[in-house]
Amino acid sequence: MDEDDAITVNGGAGTTIARISDELDLSDDNIGGVDQLVLEEDAVLTLDIAQLIAIDYANISVIKENGDPADDTDPADNADLHIVGFGSTDTFDATQLDVNINVLSITLEPGDVVLDSSVNLTGVGQIIVQEGGSITLTADQFQQLADEGTIVGIDAGGNASTDFTVNITGLTNANITRDLDGDGYGDLDDGFDLSDVDADNIIVTLGEP
């Protein structure tokens, strides 16, 4: 870890706990010796997907600045997470994370990435695709993303790019007529919205009726 990382590491009784108080990118660090990550409210953490899976969802939690447990009903107690290096062989379930953790983004590895059918993207802010690459996901996975579903691209320098492809598979009538506003009626206004997918190529294939 870097000297200026906003992190406090406490070890004892065989457990090493890293407390994160600010914005911190650990994706290029070796955190193999850390058993638990504790994020203070408003902390922003970046992890490689392999790091996240290795440390396990249950070992990443959020606390108030004074050390009290976070209130799972108070958005002010939330912390943010960015996940990078996501590939076709990776698994992820956003619903297994602490309820006070917001997954702001998942950045894919370069090339073509096909999400495993088990990947759950519930509430994820956006997916970031590398320039020239592609993402393939199901219509259900796309609609698990926060709001309408945001997918953007970046080039090698981290600048915005639309030079990528989005493949959405298995679209059914249920995706189009879902009820997002809770009025008890499914309609097109609630349904399948690609307005926040900023890709040059968008391919949607239909599933079984």
Side-chain angles (χ1 to χ4, degrees):
M1 298 179 187
D2 300 329
E3 292 182 358
D4 58 353
D5 282 347
I7 188 171
T8 302
V9 178
N10 297 305
T15 300
T16 301
I17 302 173
R19 178 166 170 169
I20 297 164
S21 59
D22 203 345
E23 185 168 352
L24 182 63
D25 184 351
L26 293 177
S27 62
D28 61 351
D29 291 304
N30 182 354
I31 61 171
V34 176
D35 299 300
Q36 297 178 24
L37 291 172
V38 177
L39 284 64
E40 291 185 10
E41 55 191 331
D42 296 325
V44 181
L45 176 64
T46 300
L47 290 177
D48 183 274
I49 183 61
Q51 294 173 319
L52 171 62
I53 297 303
I55 202 167
D56 194 55
Y57 304 104
N59 293 318
I60 306 175
S61 59
V62 182
I63 60 171
K64 294 178 181 290
E65 188 175 347
N66 64 8
D68 290 342
D71 182 349
D72 60 12
T73 66
D74 186 356
D77 287 356
N78 289 354
D80 297 329
L81 177 65
H82 296 279
I83 299 170
V84 301
F86 203 100
S88 297
T89 61
D90 290 311
T91 59
F92 175 67
D93 185 349
T95 66
Q96 296 300 306
L97 286 167
D98 187 304
V99 68
N100 289 98
I101 294 176
N102 300 318
V103 182
L104 296 187
S105 70
I106 295 177
T107 300
L108 306 184
E109 62 184 17
D112 300 321
V113 174
V114 180
L115 296 190
D116 187 86
S117 60
S118 67
V119 172
N120 188 313
L121 301 172
T122 299
V124 172
Q126 64 177 351
I127 294 176
I128 302 172
V129 184
Q130 304 286 342
E131 186 175 56
S134 71
I135 178 173
T136 299
L137 71 168
T138 68
D140 288 342
Q141 288 173 322
F142 174 72
Q143 290 188 312
Q144 290 168 350
L145 295 169
D147 302 319
E148 286 76 21
T150 301
I151 303 179
V152 300
I154 56 170
D155 64 17
N159 303 303
S161 172
T162 60
D163 180 17
F164 66 98
T165 298
V166 174
N167 296 295
I168 299 175
T169 64
L171 180 70
T172 67
N173 190 60
N175 298 114
I176 297 172
T177 59
R178 64 179 183 159
D179 178 21
L180 286 181
D181 57 18
D183 63 1
Y185 299 94
D187 54 51
L188 294 179
D189 291 337
D190 292 340
F192 197 69
D193 188 342
L194 297 172
S195 61
D196 288 335
V197 178
D198 199 13
D200 287 343
N201 303 296
I202 303 173
I203 302 168
V204 179
T205 57
L206 300 180
E208 297 281 335

